[in-house]
Amino acid sequence: TPIALSLDDHTLAALDRQIELHRQGRSRADIIAEILAAWAASPEHAAEPDEGLRPDELNASNDS
């Protein structure tokens, strides 16, 4: 899915330095996709959100 992203000059320069030092031949889009994938896979983002009790689990004893 295409995503439009705007970066300030400082951030873009840091990204370009990272590519030059460690990932030559890779595009900015590839590197940004890698960064986002790593962020999304981190434990705090990979956990399923707590959606509470299911309707069949609700009863008067768990009313708050």
Side-chain angles (χ1 to χ4, degrees), residues 4-41:
L5 180 65
S6 297
L7 300 174
D8 61 46
D9 291 337
H10 179 75
T11 304
L12 193 55
L15 180 63
D16 288 341
R17 280 192 306 275
Q18 176 71 11
I19 291 170
E20 183 178 327
L21 292 172
H22 304 288
R23 294 182 169 92
Q24 289 183 354
R26 306 290 306 277
S27 71
R28 288 174 174 168
D30 288 343
I31 301 305
I32 291 170
E34 285 180 19
I35 292 167
L36 286 174
W39 171 81

Side-chain angles (χ1 to χ4, degrees), residues 35-50:
I35 292 167
L36 286 174
W39 171 81
S42 67
E44 69 256 16
H45 298 108
E48 293 293 322
D50 181 9

